[in-house]
Amino acid sequence: MKEEQIKQLKDSGMVAVIRGANEDMIEPLARALADGGVSTLEITMDSVEGATMIKKARELLGDEALIGAGTVLDAYTAKQAIDAGAAFIFSPHLDAETIQMTKRYNKIAIPGVMTPTEVVQAYQAGADIVKVFPASVVGPTFFKDVRGPLPFVDMMPTGGVTLDNVQDFIRAGACAVGLGGALVDIKLAQAGRYDEITERAKAFKQKITEARGENE
């Protein structure tokens, strides 16, 4: 089950990072993203409604999308998210206890890293994928260079990925990309302009598909 979910996450090519939403907008927002081809949604836990939104998104989309938690700073929060139905746990940093909690319940552990040393430490701690954050600081070349000696570690950039550079990250070896404001613009959601979010998702999907085709 877990291996299938990891494959689903990587095959999707992109993880939509939903930050700043509320319970009222999570269902139309999740639907808009799914309609645009996004099959992996990360709902951040820096809101008191985080766990509730994870549960709602899961009930809405079912097997149509993989729903997980982001901005998980400790093992306690990881457990809250897992209890709500999160299939994966994203952290902005490397915390061994959070990874251990995630692995204990056979969920996907994705800690944040910034250096080759942290990439290896995360892998040794049991990370399934590492999130390079903020990716805007290191750029696509980092992925190509680090994957040279560490080809067995799946790396995903988050923070600073845009329509203009997403193909560069994919070509450099990123297994998928995390997309925040460039895709999930909460202002659009607040204005009810969900169709524009769907169109953004379709544009990112096309770019990623094209770049992956070039890599084959």
Side-chain angles (χ1 to χ4, degrees):
M1 178 68 172
K2 178 181 171 181
E3 291 304 317
E4 292 176 0
Q5 290 179 330
I6 292 174
K7 184 178 184 302
Q8 180 181 343
L9 188 156
K10 292 193 289 187
D11 287 350
S12 73
M14 56 180 168
V15 177
V17 182
I18 301 175
R19 185 186 305 279
N22 57 44
E23 288 187 49
D24 292 333
M25 68 175 69
I26 192 62
E27 291 190 6
L29 183 53
R31 172 48 57 195
L33 289 164
D35 289 346
V38 180
S39 58
T40 309
L41 308 182
E42 171 192 334
I43 298 173
T44 64
M45 291 293 288
D46 53 355
S47 161
V48 294
E49 299 177 338
T52 302
M53 288 190 285
I54 288 171
K55 185 176 180 180
K56 279 194 170 186
R58 279 207 65 199
E59 291 172 349
L60 173 70
L61 298 177
D63 294 333
E64 188 177 350
L66 200 62
I67 310 298
T71 317
V72 178
L73 303 182
D74 50 47
Y76 174 78
T77 306
K79 182 60 164 57
Q80 283 186 313
I82 291 167
D83 287 344
F88 56 82
I89 299 294
F90 272 92
S91 299
H93 65 314
L94 173 56
D95 180 67
E97 290 184 359
T98 300
I99 294 174
Q100 290 166 5
M101 178 65 75
T102 305
K103 303 287 282 188
R104 182 178 303 161
Y105 291 92
N106 202 31
K107 304 303 179 182
I108 303 168
I110 312 175
V113 300
M114 191 64 177
T115 66
T117 298
E118 289 183 340
V119 170
V120 173
Q121 289 175 339
Y123 180 78
Q124 291 174 335
D128 298 294
I129 297 171
V130 297
K131 177 178 79 169
V132 178
F133 174 81
S136 57
V137 175
V138 295
T141 303
F142 176 89
F143 289 77
K144 182 179 180 180
D145 291 346
V146 173
R147 280 187 58 77
L150 303 173
F152 48 86
V153 182
D154 285 315
M155 299 193 300
M156 188 181 82
T158 302
V161 181
T162 67
L163 272 174
D164 292 330
N165 64 23
V166 64
Q167 291 187 324
D168 295 331
F169 281 108
I170 295 296
R171 291 174 186 137
C175 69
V177 299
L179 299 169
L183 171 60
V184 191
D185 188 333
I186 292 300
K187 290 183 179 179
L188 291 178
Q190 291 170 337
R193 293 156 60 185
Y194 294 102
D195 56 331
E196 294 182 42
I197 294 175
T198 298
E199 291 307 309
R200 287 189 183 195
K202 290 179 179 178
F204 271 108
K205 189 71 173 179
Q206 181 177 349
K207 290 270 191 180
I208 291 168
T209 299
E210 288 174 358
R212 285 181 164 177
E214 295 169 8
N215 283 353
E216 292 176 355

